Amino acid sequence: MDRFVWTSGLLEINETLVIQQRGVRIYDGEEKIKFDAGTLLLSTHRLIWRDQKNHECCMAILLSQIVFIEEQAAGIGKSAKIVVHLHPAPPNKEPGPFQSSKNSYIKLSFKEHGQIEFYRRLSEEMTQRRWENMPVSQSLQTNRGPQAFEDLSKLMIKAKEMVELSKSIANKIKDKQGDITEDETIRFKSYLLSMGIANPVTRETYGSGTQYHMQLAKQLAGILQVPLEERGGIMSLTEVYCLVNRARGMELLSPEDLVNACKMLEALKLPLRLRVFDSGVMVIELQSHKEEEMVASALETVSEKGSLTSEEFAKLVGMSVLLAKERLLLAEKMGHLCRDDSVEGLRFYPNLFMTQS
Amino acid sequence: MAMSFEWPWQYRFPPFFTLQPNVDTRQKQLAAWCSLVLSFCRLHKQSSMTVMEAQESPLFNNVKLQRSKGHLFLLPDSSLKYLWRKAEGRQQTEGKLPVESIQIVLEELRKKGNLEWLDKSKSSFLIMWRRPEEWGKLIYQWVSRSGQNNSVFTLYELTNGEDTEDEEFHGLDEATLLRALQALQQEHKAEIITVSDGRGVKFF
């Protein structure tokens, strides 16, 4: 029984079907084994058995492995059988249902008849030995067959195991934070990231970042460098969102992905960073941009004009009103400006309360 | 004849009428308001006020406040002036400190000891440009100087008598005087007593 190999059951080019029969049981020597109901196919090259209940269970032997065959007539309560005597299995045989067997023959039991015709055809093929004249692909010779689909489901099972393993290791790390060196932790985290699994141990390092967000952050740094320089080193996140998505055209970024990528900018030591103002407004600034220094020049501008609203300031400086307001608010926070809030709107003045005694 | 009141430069500075969110700035702003309230009340000899009155008073309303753009600078005499550029047009608008901010100013004055609420609903208050303890000190100094310890005075005599004409506390309102004497009483330097038709005080 160890001569059988797993197969897809598909015939190769140059391999032809000769006859097939349902309801065939296989015996390992005299022993009944689990393969009790299948369809037996005879081709020019092989004997293929496929389980009737589970079509994925399919195995074959090469006809060249058959030494000789015998008939066994039916009896009372017994089906007619064909006894197939086999050469020993080659050392490099592909995997099959049995690794080893003490028997050098198998029996095919025809529970739904058809033994006589099958025997006749099998004998014919054994005599003609057509497989010798019709070479088939290497894969058939080595009895491999297309296994891609088998492999995929096995891969999926393996991947699931891997994910479970990673999670359990990650939990162990979390619990034993002190016992594991920083270096090991960093290495492990990078393995997780490369598998596309979000870092479960410290969210702060990469935001809720994954490999995807890391790559995205690097992309953004490339896309935004010039636009930022053109806009005085600072842009609101909504401006960035529009700019980036307009450039992409398809496969638009979700706001969430954009924010998560931006959260990683500083950690990845890229030349831009995400900044959140007290008001909650989010901006991207060049690392070289110093908003606090811009405040000094804002004070000059306001002083020159006596007082300014955010809109007036925005127009003068060539900024968006949103960012203009943030700059004025920052100046107020730093004590350089004070406000006049009336029915006419919000105006900023130089902070004379502090400068005049 | 009351001299014309000189408003401080902040009175012409529009942000003065907006409660500043920056804590340090606000501290300066409130100090300026307290100072203004006290000097205003002193000049107008106003010892008490209702919150309603305060809201309507020019104290918290600068009807001539100018808001439009113009170059702002402080003159040597500390008055604030706008210098107009081109013909930007004047806008006469109102500078009005909102009532919630007025409450905050009044609370500041109370904490400093210059204000006392006269009723539970906080609708009227006593305003003292000098704290009662300070008045008490001045009065006691005069009493000692003129060798009148162990003398008895009516309240009227203290504030309206000939002898006190040159004193700062001359003309002081009764409510404030009483509190000044109560402060001295705490220090055992005086005792408020009842005399023929009112109250008086004995100094020790």
Side-chain angles (χ1 to χ4, degrees):
Chain A
M1 201 52 218
D2 61 330
R3 277 67 156 179
F4 273 93
V5 295
W6 293 118
T7 180
S8 65
L10 297 172
L11 298 178
E12 292 289 301
I13 297 169
N14 292 334
E15 185 185 16
T16 325
L17 182 66
V18 175
I19 189 174
Q20 67 182 39
Q21 177 60 52
R22 277 173 53 89
V24 178
R25 185 194 195 119
I26 306 182
Y27 287 72
D28 182 12
E30 298 300 316
E31 287 166 57
K32 276 185 186 172
I33 50 180
K34 61 180 174 183
F35 304 114
D36 63 335
T39 304
L40 191 66
L41 294 96
L42 174 66
S43 78
T44 44
H45 294 68
R46 299 178 289 168
L47 204 57
I48 302 167
W49 185 91
R50 174 182 270 116
D51 192 317
Q52 265 161 232
K53 278 171 263 157
N54 175 16
H55 287 226
E56 276 172 36
C57 177
C58 188
M59 50 191 174
I61 48 170
L62 290 169
L63 296 180
S64 55
Q65 282 185 296
I66 300 176
V67 178
F68 74 97
I69 55 176
E70 287 175 288
E71 270 185 303
Q72 207 166 67
I76 299 167
K78 284 186 187 175
S79 316
K81 296 179 179 63
I82 298 175
V83 186
V84 183
H85 295 268
L86 300 160
H87 286 294
N92 59 340
K93 184 183 85 60
E94 294 291 312
F98 287 81
Q99 284 276 64
S100 62
S101 174
K102 57 185 191 324
N103 301 303
S104 62
Y105 66 97
I106 58 164
K107 284 190 178 178
L108 303 167
S109 175
F110 289 76
K111 288 145 82 171
E112 290 175 32
H113 310 292
Q115 178 266 334
I116 294 166
E117 185 59 22
F118 207 96
Y119 181 83
R120 191 178 74 78
R121 295 301 206 101
L122 183 54
S123 305
E124 220 173 73
E125 291 306 316
M126 294 299 301
T127 311
Q128 287 182 14
R129 303 177 82 86
R130 284 197 277 180
W131 67 82
E132 283 174 359
N133 303 326
M134 293 191 308
V136 290
S137 67
Q138 183 62 34
S139 66
L140 183 57
Q141 292 289 73
T142 56
N143 243 328
R144 236 184 189 160
Q147 282 179 12
F149 299 118
E150 279 176 39
D151 288 347
L152 187 63
S153 54
K154 283 180 193 160
L155 181 67
M156 277 160 63
I157 292 166
K158 272 271 174 289
K160 193 177 168 193
E161 285 170 18
M162 245 166 65
V163 168
E164 291 306 318
L165 177 65
S166 314
K167 281 187 183 165
S168 88
I169 291 173
N171 282 330
K172 285 192 184 135
I173 284 185
K174 207 162 67 166
D175 295 337
K176 289 188 180 180
Q177 195 67 47
D179 295 356
I180 299 180
T181 70
E182 175 145 342
D183 196 50
E184 284 171 290
T185 312
I186 289 170
R187 261 193 298 138
F188 181 66
K189 285 181 203 173
S190 72
Y191 292 152
L192 291 182
L193 282 173
S194 68
M195 286 195 277
I197 297 167
N199 189 334
V201 182
T202 45
R203 288 195 116 68
E204 294 79 48
T205 321
Y206 292 114
S208 55
T210 62
Q211 183 74 352
Y212 169 65
H213 292 127
M214 261 169 75
Q215 294 303 331
L216 187 54
K218 290 178 189 161
Q219 262 182 39
L220 287 173
I223 298 170
L224 296 172
Q225 184 75 27
V226 170
L228 276 170
E229 283 165 9
E230 288 171 352
R231 288 164 177 73
I234 186 168
M235 282 171 78
S236 76
L237 202 59
T238 34
E239 287 176 274
V240 169
Y241 177 80
C242 292
L243 196 141
V244 167
N245 275 330
R246 228 176 273 135
R248 284 166 80 106
M250 301 218 293
E251 284 185 27
L252 302 182
L253 274 185
S254 72
E256 206 180 57
D257 279 334
L258 178 66
V259 172
N260 286 333
C262 289
K263 283 181 182 166
M264 295 173 82
L265 289 170
E266 198 138 24
L268 293 172
K269 304 217 186 314
L270 292 164
L272 20 155
R273 60 169 167 246
L274 176 69
R275 181 177 180 158
V276 185
F277 286 113
D278 292 345
S279 59
V281 165
M282 294 165 103
V283 298
I284 301 295
E285 353 176 83
L286 288 172
Q287 282 285 358
S288 56
H289 180 84
K290 307 260 183 289
E291 188 65 11
E292 280 74 5
E293 284 169 13
M294 305 308 287
V295 157
S297 84
L299 173 60
E300 255 187 65
T301 311
V302 174
S303 303
E304 239 176 80
K305 298 290 182 184
S307 71
L308 290 173
T309 63
S310 308
E311 292 79 12
E312 289 163 355
F313 180 65
K315 201 167 169 188
L316 265 174
V317 177
M319 279 176 96
S320 69
V321 176
L322 181 78
L323 293 182
K325 184 163 185 185
E326 288 302 326
R327 186 165 293 173
L328 295 174
L329 287 173
L330 184 60
E332 181 189 44
K333 187 176 174 183
M334 290 168 71
H336 298 304
L337 296 178
C338 59
R339 65 168 63 189
D340 164 39
D341 204 349
S342 69
V343 289
E344 296 182 14
L346 180 62
R347 258 178 189 285
F348 290 90
Y349 286 74
N351 190 354
L352 299 182
F353 291 113
M354 303 303 275
T355 56
Q356 306 300 330
S357 51
Chain B
M1 197 163 55
M3 54 183 180
S4 67
F5 183 67
E6 274 200 34
W7 296 100
W9 67 265
Q10 289 96 334
Y11 193 69
R12 285 187 194 78
F13 188 46
F16 195 47
F17 295 88
T18 301
L19 192 66
Q20 295 299 314
N22 180 312
V23 167
D24 299 323
T25 311
R26 182 186 296 199
Q27 237 174 13
K28 296 273 180 176
Q29 181 192 23
L30 287 176
W33 270 114
C34 287
S35 177
L36 173 58
V37 170
L38 294 179
S39 44
F40 181 88
C41 290
R42 176 181 179 180
L43 191 85
H44 292 87
K45 297 216 188 299
Q46 194 148 10
S47 59
S48 66
M49 222 191 254
T50 65
V51 174
M52 285 283 218
E53 281 174 338
Q55 276 181 272
E56 303 303 314
S57 143
L59 182 56
F60 294 108
N61 283 283
N62 181 352
V63 294
K64 293 198 247 177
L65 186 72
Q66 288 162 357
R67 278 200 162 86
S68 36
K69 268 186 289 178
H71 188 85
L72 186 75
F73 63 99
L74 218 51
L75 290 177
D77 67 354
S78 292
S79 63
L80 207 61
K81 283 277 187 273
Y82 276 101
L83 183 71
W84 301 104
R85 278 200 189 132
K86 305 173 199 175
E88 271 182 288
R90 242 169 250 220
Q91 272 173 31
Q92 296 245 101
T93 60
E94 212 181 27
K96 198 180 168 75
L97 193 68
V99 67
E100 306 81 27
S101 305
I102 294 177
Q103 299 281 12
I104 290 172
V105 173
L106 297 179
E107 175 60 16
E108 274 303 296
L109 286 164
R110 188 199 64 78
K111 281 195 259 184
K112 288 165 76 156
N114 294 102
L115 183 148
E116 199 183 295
W117 290 107
L118 292 171
D119 62 331
K120 274 215 165 80
S121 56
K122 294 197 184 175
S123 63
S124 67
F125 55 91
L126 188 67
I127 188 84
M128 302 165 283
W129 65 271
R130 259 211 182 89
R131 291 182 299 117
E133 298 77 18
E134 289 166 347
W135 283 124
K137 197 167 172 190
L138 278 174
I139 292 169
Y140 194 76
Q141 272 171 2
W142 173 78
V143 165
S144 303
R145 249 193 349 244
S146 52
Q148 301 190 66
N149 302 61
N150 295 311
S151 313
V152 175
F153 295 87
T154 64
L155 298 189
Y156 187 82
E157 274 176 324
L158 275 179
T159 56
N160 292 81
E162 274 181 8
D163 294 343
T164 67
E165 263 174 18
D166 297 328
E167 300 305 314
E168 279 200 54
F169 55 83
H170 187 87
L172 191 63
D173 67 283
E174 192 171 298
T176 307
L177 175 66
L178 216 48
R179 282 157 179 81
L181 296 175
Q182 278 163 354
L184 284 175
Q185 193 164 253
Q186 295 267 22
E187 295 173 55
H188 305 292
K189 289 182 176 163
E191 189 186 337
I192 300 168
I193 56 181
T194 325
V195 291
S196 42
D197 56 348
R199 277 177 293 195
V201 57
K202 178 173 178 163
F203 292 100
F204 301 115

